[in-house]
Amino acid sequence: MTEAAMQHDESPGGMLSLRVLSRLLDYPSAALQAAIGEMIEILDAERRWSPTLRAALTGWCQRLAEDDLMERQAEYVALFDRGRSTSLLLFEHVHGESRDRGQAMVDLLAEYRAAGFEIDARELPDYLPLFLEYLSTRPEAEIAQWLGEISHILACLGARLEEREADHALVPLALLALIGAEAELEAQREPVKAESPDYTAEALDAVWEEEAVRFSAASDQDCALQSTEGRRLAERKAATQSTTVRILDPDAAPHQGGQS
């Protein structure tokens, strides 16, 4: 998805801050570094976030602009391409390797197309940066509904990224902050500390030897990521339309926050 390789209808009510978070979570590139100034302006203007969180995000942007690109790219690969606990594929956390995952991606792709959002990139529909790009074009009520549906994934992912001391943890935190759900991340910090790392050489060798690779049941239980009864995210979203989830009013956004 790097370089915004997508085609979609622009939405007047879209949230540019989500597009910035999408870029920050994607593979680092020279184009990303060149756009840092504009990204900082957008982040600084997002008043739904606390000053502490905005400062953390803009500080990360400044480091991205100043650091060696190849080093950043190597760090990204080590963080997201080794092990599955920090996967950016949403349905991998929900469905693992089950058949439900494929159906869930078909359903999500149908949602994209129904909204006039066509993917023009070699990414799966549930790739989080791509999903955020989609959300950036949607009305606030729909954004809030989707963020509420994936909040358990964001919380666990954020806690795992914090454990790795990665700036990328700021993205799940910022997304949860938009709907006032930062406490979900806090609740995952202790369970995540008890997890065995899946990115070490030993862990990767063990995975390589398995015939079927999937998340351990213990990990799923700790982070409440089980796909009981094979429910798909799109189905859960449709079944919980009455749930009240809203994007915070900028004038009412809390002033505490940020990464602890």
Side-chain angles (χ1 to χ4, degrees):
M1 195 198 69
T2 308
E3 324 308 345
M6 281 162 292
Q7 299 172 350
H8 55 77
D9 296 327
E10 291 293 339
S11 169
M15 292 180 63
L16 289 178
S17 55
L18 291 181
R19 199 165 299 181
V20 172
L21 295 183
S22 169
R23 297 295 180 274
L24 288 172
L25 208 54
D26 205 0
Y27 186 73
S29 66
L32 172 70
Q33 290 183 318
I36 288 296
E38 182 181 359
M39 292 166 64
I40 287 176
E41 289 181 7
I42 293 171
L43 291 172
D44 193 53
E46 182 52 85
R47 298 299 165 178
R48 297 173 181 85
W49 291 325
S50 68
T52 301
L53 182 51
R54 292 201 306 272
L57 286 164
T58 55
W60 177 20
C61 286
Q62 289 166 349
R63 290 191 292 277
L64 281 171
E66 297 166 0
D67 290 351
D68 179 79
L69 179 58
M70 292 187 67
E71 289 184 5
R72 280 290 181 174
Q73 291 172 338
E75 291 172 359
Y76 186 92
V77 170
L79 187 61
F80 294 112
D81 292 351
R82 297 175 186 170
R84 297 189 171 218
S85 62
T86 55
S87 174
L88 295 179
L89 298 174
L90 294 171
F91 294 133
E92 189 164 21
H93 294 284
V94 180
H95 299 293
E97 294 298 313
S98 74
R99 292 182 179 180
D100 288 332
R101 183 182 174 195
Q103 183 60 54
M105 286 193 285
V106 169
D107 293 344
L108 184 57
L109 188 59
E111 291 247 0
Y112 290 168
R113 288 173 175 167
F117 185 86
E118 291 293 334
I119 302 175
D120 186 20
R122 293 183 178 179
E123 298 293 353
L124 294 173
D126 62 336
Y127 180 54
L128 183 53
L130 175 61
F131 183 67
L132 293 179
E133 185 81 15
Y134 167 70
L135 288 188
S136 76
T137 71
R138 309 308 299 154
E140 283 193 4
E142 188 174 338
I143 295 170
Q145 187 68 36
W146 274 116
L147 291 180
E149 286 301 319
I150 66 170
S151 62
H152 60 298
I153 300 174
L154 295 174
C156 198
L157 178 62
R160 286 168 172 167
L161 291 171
E162 284 184 354
E163 193 69 13
R164 302 278 294 272
E165 299 183 347
D167 285 326
H168 301 78
L170 291 168
V171 173
L173 177 61
L175 293 170
L176 291 169
L178 286 175
I179 57 172
E182 301 97 313
E184 291 195 37
L185 193 153
E186 174 64 31
Q188 293 301 332
R189 287 181 175 132
E190 286 305 314
V192 162
K193 288 181 185 296
E195 292 180 347
S196 298
D198 68 348
Y199 53 85
T200 63
E202 295 80 6
L204 293 172
D205 285 344
V207 167
W208 182 260
E209 293 173 359
E210 293 179 358
E211 291 184 0
V213 182
R214 59 181 176 82
F215 280 102
S216 68
S219 174
D220 283 350
Q221 184 176 6
D222 285 343
C223 297
L225 301 180
Q226 304 99 314
S227 176
T228 57
E229 300 177 4
R231 293 177 299 176
R232 301 189 295 270
L233 259 183
E235 291 174 340
R236 293 178 67 242
K237 174 175 175 284
T240 56
Q241 292 291 341
S242 61
T243 302
T244 301
V245 184
R246 295 190 179 91
I247 299 294
L248 293 182
D249 186 325
D251 296 327
H255 294 287
Q256 76 277 6
Q259 240 179 334
S260 59

